Amino acid sequence: MTVTLEAPNTAGERLARPHQYLMCPPEHFTVEYAINPWMDTDQPCDVSLALRQWQRLRDIYQELGHTVRIIEPLPQLPDMVFAANGGLVIGGRALAARFAYPQRADEGPAYLAWLRAAGFPAKQAVQVNEGEGDFLVVGGRVLAGTGFRTDPKAHAEVAEYFGLPVVSLELVNPRFYHLDTALAVLDDRTVAYYPEAFSAASRSVLRELYPDAVLAGAKDAMVFGLNAVSDGRNVVLAEKAVNLAEQLRERGFHPIGVDLSELLKAGGSAKCCTLEVRS
Ligand code: ARG
């Protein structure tokens, strides 16, 4: 497939590109099981606050000119709000997720059904694959996380299905259990990441591939600042990630802070709520 690379224009300004996102309102959001270290089933959740925070995120995307499509939330699937995990869509072809934990298993077929109804040729992954939680597209390459959720065999499956090069990266800190909690794609050649979340070997791979990457510190990583969504210029991220926001500003990006404190109780932030639909 052909890939257009994004770069600052001649005036040195970053260029925003319109995107299409799939989101799922957190109508049934709670923390009733714990499958990552952020989840504490004793901590109360406020569904109406979660909904308001999520709506603000959706509104920001729309104000930026992006298209937001909605998948109907299903009861008994409190994590379905984390649409990024539902699949991977590249060039109008979709691969729906196959979740690692039984609590989320039914989300795979739900996202598959949505993708098919939306007209995308789609199938459910054979290997354990948590969608854009662990697969991030950077230009013509896919970065793929493993260590906690997605099976390394799923990396080969994705490479085969989409015909794209896939680079495997190993996550080592359970707080950063998905790749999108530790690495953000800023444009077709730029990423930001938290080095400590990766094995030494994967850190060298990242250094080699992205010598100009924005390196985030522990404070910003721990408030999920890297769970960010960029359109090439505007970067929507947790508002508490103030140092990272400053680093982005220095590089010509336009950070937009959001408060998703309720969803962080389940171990998610902006990117987790957002599946990019690349048609
Ligand atoms: N509670 C969810 C889980 O542990 C959170 C998923 C966050 N999503 C993401 N793309 N990182 O599976």
Side-chain angles (χ1 to χ4, degrees), residues 226-269:
L226 289 161
N227 197 243
V229 176
S230 173
D231 62 14
R233 171 179 151 75
N234 304 291
V235 184
V236 182
L237 80 171
E239 64 183 12
K240 287 194 172 155
V242 288
N243 301 306
L244 179 57
E246 191 45 42
Q247 288 171 282
L248 294 172
R249 221 172 272 121
E250 281 162 13
R251 300 284 289 266
F253 293 98
H254 177 232
I256 301 173
V258 277
D259 178 9
L260 292 164
S261 57
E262 279 306 300
L263 299 174
L264 190 58
K265 293 177 179 172
S269 190

Side-chain angles (χ1 to χ4, degrees), residues 20-194:
Q20 198 179 150
Y21 299 129
L22 176 62
M23 298 180 73
C24 180
E27 279 165 30
H28 308 290
F29 179 70
T30 69
V31 178
E32 61 185 30
Y33 51 79
I35 56 173
N36 70 53
W38 302 87
M39 301 176 91
D40 172 358
T41 53
D42 293 334
Q43 209 183 6
C45 292
D46 180 340
V47 186
S48 67
L49 179 57
L51 262 170
R52 286 200 302 282
Q53 293 179 335
W54 177 93
Q55 281 157 357
R56 179 73 199 117
L57 177 66
R58 180 204 55 197
D59 292 351
I60 289 171
Y61 291 146
Q62 288 173 337
E63 284 157 21
L64 290 171
H66 304 307
T67 304
V68 177
R69 305 180 70 174
I70 299 296
I71 180 171
E72 199 60 38
L74 297 173
Q76 272 92 54
L77 294 174
D79 274 335
M80 196 171 164
V81 57
F82 300 117
N85 301 137
L88 179 63
V89 190
I90 308 175
R93 267 164 78 75
L95 190 62
R98 183 171 300 276
F99 284 83
Y101 289 103
Q103 292 95 331
R104 298 194 69 185
D106 289 346
E107 292 182 47
Y111 278 93
L112 177 64
W114 187 91
L115 290 162
R116 284 194 173 147
F120 297 105
K123 65 166 209 167
Q124 189 176 12
V126 175
Q127 306 295 339
V128 168
N129 170 329
E130 297 206 348
E132 283 200 323
D134 276 320
F135 291 98
L136 295 174
V137 178
V138 194
R141 169 191 293 148
V142 181
L143 300 182
T146 188
F148 298 99
R149 301 289 180 90
T150 294
D151 191 305
K153 292 200 275 299
H155 297 181
E157 187 183 1
V158 161
E160 173 81 9
Y161 186 74
F162 292 105
L164 288 173
V166 172
V167 176
S168 295
L169 298 168
E170 195 191 353
L171 297 160
V172 294
N173 179 336
R175 289 236 168 233
F176 303 98
Y177 56 91
H178 275 144
L179 182 62
D180 73 353
T181 66
L183 186 144
V185 180
L186 300 173
D187 64 26
D188 285 345
R189 53 180 107 214
T190 318
V191 301
Y193 65 95
Y194 175 50

